[in-house]
Amino acid sequence: MKGMREGLLGLTVLAGVVAIGGLFLWVRGAQLRGSRVHFFAQFGDVSGLDVGSPVRFRGGSGRPGCRI
């Protein structure tokens, strides 16, 4: 009986941790299956960079999805 009680307690704690983690992700608006990440930045001078210009991030290929 004691082992069953401890197992139930462990499952309850684990379910609570998962629920709190899920709530945290939900509040932040995280998407677990989405591959899109949107950034917003403001700069005083971008040296001629226009809206829609390809942007390299860490030497990336400048894919069509990587645009301002």
Side-chain angles (χ1 to χ4, degrees), residues 8-62:
L8 185 60
L9 176 64
L11 287 175
T12 303
V13 169
L14 182 62
V17 169
V18 169
I20 289 173
L23 180 66
F24 178 73
L25 290 174
W26 178 70
V27 167
R28 288 188 56 208
Q31 294 178 349
L32 299 178
R33 296 182 186 212
S35 62
R36 288 187 166 192
V37 178
H38 298 276
F39 294 98
F40 178 79
Q42 284 186 295
F43 299 98
D45 180 24
V46 291
S47 300
L49 189 64
D50 292 324
V51 173
S53 298
V55 176
R56 290 181 181 254
F57 177 70
R58 293 186 182 178
S61 63

